[in-house]
Structures are given as structure tokens and as C-alpha cells.
Amino acid sequence: MTALLEVRDVHKAYGAIRAVDGVSFSVTAGEILGVIGPNGSGKTTLFNSILGQVKPSAGQVYFEGADVTGMGALPLSRRGIGRTFQSLQVFGRLSVRDNLIAAGQEFSGSAAGRLFARPDAGLGGRAEEIIALFRIGHVAHLPAGSLSYGQQKLVDIAMAFMASPRLVLLDEPCAGVNPALIDELTELLLRLNREHGGTFVVIEHNMDFVMRLCTRVICMAQGKVLAEGPPEAVQSNRAVLEAYLGV
């Protein structure tokens, strides 16, 4: 099966520090890949290298067979890759619905088109689709900043879907989220995967979440891939236990 995303021997160095040191993996359509590892293992730098926030020192990134190495977040979004960050990217004073419309404006159309578009920039219909998909209609009219941190995380993820991505990279979606909402997020992502073919790469420390969600897991340590395989196998790998869990 042709890979949707392929990362080939990617390196990212900062002077003598090798933040990412020869990482290779691929992701097929419909897969949910987990990326785990201790703090400082290079996970977020890997995401940044894939999505053009930083330029890899070496290696290539391919999306749908095309070399997209070093391409920025906006053109990658228009190709079909979405991303969330560790920190929230919502606009607190805007309603949830307007946050979705703002996200859609960022990743579609031209400046002239946005200038002369309808007040909702022609994205109101798409926003309503996402609101229904994420089941957030009960808070769609509220300022995003008035929601709980976990609910804002959900809105943040919903914003990434305004561009109809074929692949979404999620950076620590469970951080700061209460257990009940983590369960809701797990079911949401599984439903998006099952019913809509959603493909995800997820950085996460919450191993229960990873075990329930992911079809395959990569563990990183010191910028390298330490182990790769089914979640149960990686979780019980001795090298992973030593490097990640400290046992």
C-alpha cells in the first residue's frame, strides 16, 4: 500500500545537538500512529521538521508521493496536512463558530477573495459541518475563552479539520485535559478514523490513550527511533521501559 506520509532519514541538528537523528517511518491512509518518548527525545522537533516550522538538516519528507521537504505549514495545509500544537491556538474572544471560520480563512482562498466574501467568508456551511461532526453545537455560540481547557483543546482540533485534511498531526492532545474529556476525545478520533477515514499521527505521554487509540507506535529516545510496532509490543519493550518509563 502506498504511504500517505513518508519520512526518510530525517535529521535536525542545532550545533552539536542532534534533536532528530535519522528518523524514518511511513503512515498509510486510515492509520493512527502514536509517537511516544521522554521529554527531549525529539518528538516535537520531528513534527516541526515534517511541517516546515524548521528545515531538516538532512533527509526527505514525502506526502502522497511528492517531496514536500521544508515546505511551510500553509502550502502543506492546502495539500491536505493539518496540525495542532501543544499550546492552544484558539481566539478566546471569538465564538467557537467564528474560530472555525477564522481557521478556514487562514487555509483557503486568497486575500482578495476574503476581502469581498460574505461575512462568514463563505465558510459558514463548512463550520456547521465541523460543529456537527465534533458534536459541539451546544457551545458553538460561546466565546472559546469561556470554555474549559479541555473543551478548548477540542475546538483547537476541530479548527484543524476546517481545511478537510487527509492527515492530521496532533501534538499532546491530552495535556491538561481531564479524564472524562480524554475519553470523549478518544471516541471522537476513533469515530473520525472509522467513519471518515481520518489518518492521525499523535504525540502523547498518556499511555492509556495511546493504547486505546493507536494502531502502531514509535518510541523515540535521544532523537532516534528506539522501538516501533503494535502498542502492546512497544509498551512492553525493555528498552522502552528503561528509556521512557524509567524502570
Side-chain angles (χ1 to χ4, degrees), residues 73-246:
L74 181 57
L76 283 175
S77 174
R78 291 179 173 176
R79 281 178 175 261
I81 302 179
R83 180 194 179 163
T84 67
F85 294 81
Q86 291 180 22
S87 57
L88 289 171
Q89 303 292 305
V90 301
F91 301 100
R93 294 186 178 181
L94 295 183
S95 70
V96 168
R97 184 177 185 274
D98 285 344
N99 265 276
L100 296 175
I101 289 171
Q105 285 181 290
E106 181 179 0
F107 297 122
S108 64
S110 63
R114 291 193 289 271
L115 182 64
F116 296 105
R118 301 196 303 271
D120 65 1
L123 294 166
R126 177 60 180 166
E128 292 304 322
E129 291 176 5
I130 296 299
I131 288 168
L133 186 64
F134 278 72
R135 300 175 181 174
I136 51 177
H138 60 296
V139 296
H141 64 290
L142 297 176
S146 71
L147 306 181
S148 70
Y149 184 82
Q151 288 175 317
Q152 289 185 60
K153 280 257 185 173
L154 199 60
V155 173
D156 198 19
I157 295 170
M159 291 166 66
F161 276 81
M162 281 296 292
S164 301
R166 292 182 294 285
L167 171 69
V168 180
L169 282 66
L170 305 170
D171 197 346
E172 297 194 24
C174 295
V177 178
N178 69 58
L181 201 53
I182 289 175
D183 289 341
E184 182 180 337
L185 177 60
T186 304
E187 293 305 316
L188 168 66
L189 294 176
L190 287 172
R191 179 165 51 85
L192 292 173
N193 172 259
R194 181 175 61 250
E195 298 177 6
H196 301 273
T199 305
F200 306 102
V201 181
V202 185
I203 290 175
E204 187 51 63
H205 288 291
N206 186 316
M207 287 303 298
D208 289 337
F209 176 79
V210 170
M211 295 294 290
R212 291 173 58 191
L213 179 69
C214 299
T215 51
R216 184 164 55 97
V217 174
I218 289 172
C219 180
M220 293 183 63
Q222 297 181 338
K224 298 178 179 289
V225 173
L226 182 64
E228 178 178 356
E232 297 84 0
V234 172
Q235 187 183 43
S236 61
N237 182 289
R238 173 52 56 183
V240 171
L241 293 172
E242 291 175 355
Y244 184 57
L245 301 176

